[in-house]
Amino acid sequence: MWWWRHRAVPSKLQFLVLVAYAWLGSAGLESASAHTDSEVRNVWVQGVPPHRGLVRAITEGEHCPFAYFDGRPTRMKVRAQPNSDFNVLVCELLVPHETDRIEVAGRDLRPVSRNPQRIAVVGDTGCRMKGGSAFDDGFQNCGDPDDWEFAKVAQRVAEWQPDLIIQLGDYIYREQKCPDGCGNCQGSPYNSPGMRMATWNAEFFDPGIPMLESAPIVFVRGDHETCERAGLGYVRFLDPFEFAACSDFSDPYALEFEELQLVVMDTVQADDTSLSANVVVNRYAQDFERAAKLAKGLTWLLSHRPIWALRPAHRIVSEPKTDACGNQMIPPVAVEDINVTTQDALTASNLAGRLPPAVDLVLTAHIHVGEVLSFTGRRPPQMVVGISGTKLLPAVTRGLEGRVIDGETVTHAMMVSVHGFFGFVPRQRGAWSMNVFNAGGASVTKCRIDDKNAHCRSR
């Protein structure tokens, strides 16, 4: 103001004018913030390397909301603009170091802990809408919370009060139009041009709100998030790096905590039972070598597709019988070993088929059961968390122990078919306890992980 420069001390009138300007500016900021906040659909904090929190928001407004770090407001930055498939603005902002409290759009969020004491793990959360010959093909009843139970699982995860959440991939399962004659999914959106935002909302962002707002989360990419499937949404909303064009390969990265390190690999192009193209095997061989260099101290290796796992299978000659929704009527009678591509890539790497000693656990999803396998030869246990919403495979519990997978023998095996999540709590000297919780929050199996062995018992 020009007159301020001509007086050393403001008059009473000038002082009142200054106060009024300050009040109007503050009121204007609060009004704009409240308007913006009302248009925010989703907020969460996700872990990004090496050990940072990144707060993200999805808003239907024209401007990004403010993030409040210990009460201090900062306008979030635009990550991705709306387009014809995603009619929302995606915003993000790194969480400052030493932040204790985060608030966005009136919702309290938690910063990333340096030493998480409770880790919840989910995977394969979406509602299955896809015809085919596999056991878990078909059309789930997406409107029935007792059939597609992700909303209940997300609520149970929040109630368990984790310090960190890991989602191991496959967010979008609504891939085909609901067929005539199937009442399970009529009217449901599916991942196609013009319906992609509606599909992400129905599949993940709406039912996942309790989980997303309860604790920082690590997102792993699934094979349903390839560029030809739901990858456009994954890179826009969940990828931990700068927004860029969709690619089906990304480099491994590490998230460092005080007593644990997570190394995340993208394995979405790894064919389960048939040898992939040389370019895929060679790329994953290099990624295993990169991951080995990142593994320091106690490390969990995270990816969507397993390295060594068992999948329920059947041996039938004729076309399987299905109901009107494409659900198979024949139970499995055997298991098959997977994943041939990751096994071949690990063998082709300079690791000669063995993960580095720092890796204590391989944590994946992809198979629609809960599974824990221990092996001979100091191979780390392989766990599968594919139980958090999608159509489940029936569990096979006999004939698992004693099988040889990629040169090592299964010494202990656990397989369950129940919607839920895995919950990890640390014990002394690097050991962990793990419970498999069902969608009602009850523990159905308890396991102990210690010194490259995992052993489970039913509750």
Side-chain angles (χ1 to χ4, degrees), residues 81-233:
Q81 294 282 357
N83 64 19
S84 59
D85 284 330
F86 302 99
N87 60 337
V88 293
L89 186 68
V90 186
C91 308
E92 65 183 6
L93 196 62
L94 277 173
V95 178
H97 293 292
E98 309 303 327
T99 296
D100 292 321
R101 294 179 294 107
I102 305 169
E103 180 187 336
V104 179
R107 301 165 221 183
D108 294 326
L109 304 172
R110 296 169 58 192
V112 175
S113 170
R114 288 293 299 167
N115 188 20
Q117 296 297 294
R118 296 166 76 87
I119 301 177
V121 183
V122 299
D124 295 278
T125 53
C127 185
R128 185 65 136 178
M129 286 176 54
K130 178 178 176 290
S133 59
F135 271 128
D136 43 3
D137 284 334
F139 292 81
Q140 264 179 290
N141 193 335
C142 302
D144 183 354
D146 293 325
D147 184 28
W148 179 50
E149 297 192 274
F150 174 47
K152 292 196 291 186
V153 171
Q155 183 63 43
R156 298 294 90 76
V157 167
E159 291 171 357
W160 193 63
Q161 298 182 329
D163 301 306
L164 183 70
I165 300 167
I166 299 170
Q167 210 287 11
L168 289 166
D170 279 6
Y171 308 81
I172 303 299
Y173 275 85
R174 303 184 201 208
E175 298 185 283
Q176 296 176 4
K177 186 179 185 297
C178 191
D180 294 337
C182 175
N184 283 354
C185 47
Q186 293 299 324
S188 174
Y190 60 98
N191 194 49
S192 62
M195 287 197 286
R196 292 196 171 104
M197 191 68 242
T199 305
W200 274 91
N201 285 336
E203 283 277 74
F204 189 66
F205 288 125
D206 288 348
I209 285 174
M211 180 181 77
L212 288 168
E213 297 182 6
S214 68
I217 187 164
V218 177
F219 296 110
V220 179
R221 187 181 186 183
D223 64 291
H224 285 226
E225 288 76 57
T226 60
C227 296
E228 68 177 3
R229 299 174 83 175
L232 295 177

Side-chain angles (χ1 to χ4, degrees), residues 363-391:
L363 193 55
T364 68
H366 188 60
I367 306 169
H368 300 162
V369 293
E371 184 174 310
V372 176
L373 302 177
S374 286
F375 300 93
T376 57
R378 299 289 293 169
R379 174 184 288 175
Q382 164 78 69
M383 292 193 182
V384 175
V385 191
I387 57 172
S388 301
T390 200
K391 185 180 176 184

Side-chain angles (χ1 to χ4, degrees), residues 212-390:
L212 288 168
E213 297 182 6
S214 68
I217 187 164
V218 177
F219 296 110
V220 179
R221 187 181 186 183
D223 64 291
H224 285 226
E225 288 76 57
T226 60
C227 296
E228 68 177 3
R229 299 174 83 175
L232 295 177
Y234 175 82
V235 299
R236 176 174 293 264
F237 299 120
L238 307 182
D239 189 86
F241 302 109
E242 290 185 6
F243 182 50
C246 189
S247 170
D248 280 339
F249 296 100
S250 58
D251 291 340
Y253 65 92
L255 299 171
E256 301 170 0
F257 301 92
E258 287 182 358
E259 298 180 6
L260 176 68
Q261 182 169 247
L262 306 178
V263 174
V264 182
M265 277 186 64
D266 181 345
T267 56
V268 301
Q269 288 290 335
D271 193 276
D272 290 331
T273 56
S274 300
L275 182 62
S276 297
N278 287 338
V279 65
V280 175
V281 174
N282 292 338
R283 168 61 192 243
Y284 289 153
Q286 296 172 10
D287 285 351
F288 274 120
E289 293 168 3
R290 295 187 184 103
K293 292 179 181 179
L294 292 170
K296 301 172 184 177
L298 180 67
T299 298
W300 293 358
L301 180 63
L302 276 53
S303 72
H304 178 70
R305 293 188 189 258
I307 306 176
W308 311 285
L310 296 171
R311 178 171 63 187
H314 56 56
R315 301 189 188 100
I316 56 175
V317 177
S318 60
E319 189 72 17
K321 294 182 179 180
T322 61
D323 62 17
C325 294
N327 302 305
Q328 288 197 33
M329 313 300 288
I330 302 175
V333 295
V335 290
E336 60 182 347
D337 306 346
I338 64 170
N339 179 285
V340 64
T341 304
T342 53
Q343 293 168 19
D344 287 347
L346 187 57
T347 299
S349 73
N350 61 15
L351 304 172
R354 301 184 69 86
L355 293 175
V359 176
D360 246 33
L361 176 65
V362 178
L363 193 55
T364 68
H366 188 60
I367 306 169
H368 300 162
V369 293
E371 184 174 310
V372 176
L373 302 177
S374 286
F375 300 93
T376 57
R378 299 289 293 169
R379 174 184 288 175
Q382 164 78 69
M383 292 193 182
V384 175
V385 191
I387 57 172
S388 301
T390 200

